[in-house]
Amino acid sequence: MNMLTVIFMVFIAGAFFLFLRAEMCKAKGRKLAEKKPAFSEKNLEEFSEDRQVYYSKRLAEMISCRTVSKKGEFHSEEFYKLRSVISDLFPEVTKKAEVLYFGEDCYLYKFIGREPEKNVMLMSHHDVVPAEGEWSYPPFSGQIAEGCIWGRGTVDTKTPLFAEFSALEELLEKGWIPPCNVYLVSSHNEEIAGDGVPLVLQWLKEQKITFEWILDEGGAVIDAPMGGMDCKCAMLAVHEKGRYTIRVKAAQAAGHGSLMKQLKSPAVRIAGLITKIEKKQPFIRKIHPEVLAMFESLAPYMKLPMRLVFANMWCFGGLLKRLIPALNAQAGSMLGTTCTFKNLRTAENGDCMTEVFFRCVKEEDLKTDLKTFQKIAEEFQVEVDEVIENEYHRPASMQSSGYQFIKSCVEEEFGYAACAPFILPAGTDARHFSELSDAVIRFAPIDINNQQYASVHDKNENIEMESVVRAVAFYKTVLRKL
């Protein structure tokens, strides 16, 4: 047997082994149900098709409140209008909850349970970003058209808030008593990273209250996030990237004119730093445990050859670490630290400054990445002038009972969707509570398509009427199973 034959046989054996693992991976996946209308899946009058219209009209009342967040502004009349709408729509909730307000309008509703030592928390936020551009329907009308409710906040995040209140209201109407303490927290200034939830955190810490789990926005039921998949995917964010902001400065050289000519201008040096960082992408890249779990959870629902690759991360992980950033920017951002430059300006004395905004997955990697950044900055005679922000919060434990409980509820209510954890590149209020629970999960139970996903902070935000039904059903399942 010659060497070529041996190599060929080894190659065939290796390929067969990889293929076998891909087929075994497929067998590990849940058998997904066919997606059907929510009202056809429930043998209850409350989930009739008429219920879609009922929920949609009630949600529209909340959408019509122009609770827009802008730094330095608070339009109390619109926020207090929403308070009144919530009180009218949900009388049982209003009557049976202990309600506290923090800051200008951050809500905390507490429902006392039979087991007073155990606590869980539902979250949302009721502020929205401004509605700009030309919309198909008025952005604060809550208009029902084309099977959807249209308006700012339908996705981000008045629908989840409405569904939380609706689930509680309907259960309380039937005499439900929570098995444990249930908290509902909604911020009035999440969109501007305001003080609402930090004030709640301060109060909870003073009361020494911790939580079995905390559930906020972040992920959703979305169209397949990568090629080679046909099913919807319920994405549960178990971590969000940390924030670290610095100001760097290139100083105007002082001294003899001939020496100054040898040094490029401050603006050119800052530009050189930005260009090199953007081109080189010098920061640590890893397949973090949360990312590995995401790929392993989605792999059973992929077609070949994608399934063969992601079912064999031990073999292809190194290659994917290099390819993913080029194929999908959002997925690439889950692999490590990213940075963006903002607020570039030149002072009257000629110094040039810019802010550098880092988002990190792991705090220890950020420390190394900052050293790498400083070394490159020194090449361009750029120095760190000030640390503006430094914020990092631990990820949720995917082994915790809280995460497993939420995951089981997602799989039950969204049986047609693959369920997977992921790292959220954006920010949520939930990050502030990570020291109070090992299961801070970011998942809004709304089934949205790519257009609806893209409408967040953009024009024509909308959600299907059927998705509102499903969201209410999800929260009722969560509360019933406590």
Side-chain angles (χ1 to χ4, degrees), residues 17 44 61 69 82 92 115 117 122 149 160 174-175 190 223 264 267 287 339 362 385 403 474:
F17 177 70
L44 296 169
E61 292 187 51
S69 274
L82 179 59
E92 286 296 311
E115 189 179 338
E117 299 303 314
L122 300 174
I149 308 102
K174 295 181 177 180
E190 189 270 353
D223 292 335
K264 293 181 179 179
I287 304 292
C339 80
K362 299 297 179 186
D385 188 46
Y403 173 75
F474 171 79

Side-chain angles (χ1 to χ4, degrees), residues 30-272:
R30 289 164 37 242
K31 185 176 180 180
L32 300 184
E34 180 184 352
K35 182 178 178 181
K36 299 176 183 178
F39 56 83
S40 73
E41 297 174 1
K42 306 288 184 177
N43 188 26
L44 296 169
E45 184 180 346
E46 62 181 319
F47 289 95
S48 66
E49 192 166 3
D50 291 341
R51 201 69 169 175
Q52 293 189 35
V53 176
Y54 171 74
Y55 283 149
S56 299
K57 288 181 177 179
R58 289 163 65 86
L59 173 59
E61 292 187 51
M62 294 175 62
I63 299 300
S64 69
C65 301
R66 299 172 181 255
T67 51
V68 176
S69 274
K70 290 184 179 180
K71 286 189 180 292
E73 298 180 19
F74 177 68
H75 301 285
S76 59
E77 64 281 1
E78 292 294 329
F79 283 87
Y80 295 160
K81 176 185 172 184
L82 179 59
R83 274 197 204 184
S84 179
V85 167
I86 289 171
S87 179
D88 291 342
L89 290 177
F90 310 108
E92 286 296 311
V93 165
T94 304
K95 181 172 65 175
K96 294 182 177 177
E98 176 187 345
V99 185
L100 300 176
Y101 295 96
F102 296 83
E104 292 159 323
D105 196 47
C106 184
Y107 314 154
L108 183 150
Y109 286 68
K110 179 182 178 180
F111 302 87
I112 297 174
R114 291 191 299 267
E115 189 179 338
E117 299 303 314
K118 180 180 176 182
N119 307 288
V120 300
M121 183 191 293
L122 300 174
M123 289 184 68
S124 190
H125 64 86
H126 51 277
D127 64 323
V128 298
V129 298
E132 299 170 343
E134 188 173 334
W135 288 54
S136 299
Y137 302 95
F140 292 100
S141 65
Q143 186 161 339
I144 301 170
E146 304 176 46
C148 299
I149 308 102
W150 297 76
R152 177 61 81 220
T154 48
V155 177
D156 186 21
T157 58
K158 285 182 178 175
T159 294
L161 180 61
F162 169 81
E164 290 168 351
F165 276 124
S166 296
L168 285 161
E169 180 74 12
E170 292 173 17
L171 289 174
L172 291 169
E173 283 177 343
K174 295 181 177 180
W176 175 77
I177 299 174
C180 62
N181 296 331
V182 176
Y183 289 75
L184 191 160
V185 173
S186 182
S187 171
H188 65 296
N189 53 15
E190 189 270 353
E191 295 291 4
I192 55 173
D195 65 349
V197 162
L199 289 171
V200 175
L201 172 64
Q202 180 181 337
W203 182 82
L204 290 170
K205 289 170 70 174
E206 289 171 356
Q207 307 301 313
K208 296 181 170 53
I209 298 171
T210 57
F211 295 87
E212 297 287 312
W213 51 261
I214 296 172
L215 182 61
D216 192 15
E217 60 150 338
V221 181
I222 60 172
D223 292 335
M226 56 197 307
M229 298 181 68
D230 293 330
C231 64
K232 300 283 285 193
C233 297
M235 305 299 294
L236 283 65
V238 293
H239 187 30
E240 63 184 73
K241 301 183 75 173
R243 304 149 181 253
Y244 189 87
T245 305
I246 60 175
R247 182 181 295 111
V248 297
K249 178 177 73 174
Q252 177 68 49
H256 192 277
S258 61
L259 293 175
M260 291 174 64
K261 288 180 181 178
Q262 298 175 19
L263 189 64
K264 293 181 179 179
S265 72
V268 170
R269 282 147 49 204
I270 289 286

Side-chain angles (χ1 to χ4, degrees), residues 343-405:
N343 299 330
L344 177 64
R345 65 185 183 88
T346 300
E348 290 185 6
N349 67 355
D351 293 350
C352 187
M353 291 159 282
T354 187
E355 292 177 11
V356 190
F357 180 43
F358 296 89
R359 299 298 308 272
C360 70
V361 175
K362 299 297 179 186
E363 193 172 29
E364 56 271 23
D365 289 346
L366 175 64
K367 294 175 182 177
T368 302
D369 291 334
L370 287 172
K371 291 178 182 178
T372 300
F373 178 88
Q374 288 179 312
K375 186 175 180 180
I376 295 173
E378 288 170 2
E379 296 177 20
F380 297 91
Q381 294 83 46
V382 174
E383 61 184 22
V384 176
D385 188 46
E386 180 185 0
V387 176
I388 300 172
E389 176 186 36
N390 184 6
E391 184 180 337
Y392 179 81
H393 303 278
R394 66 176 182 174
S397 167
M398 291 180 287
Q399 286 71 48
S400 66
S401 60
Y403 173 75
Q404 294 299 326
F405 172 75

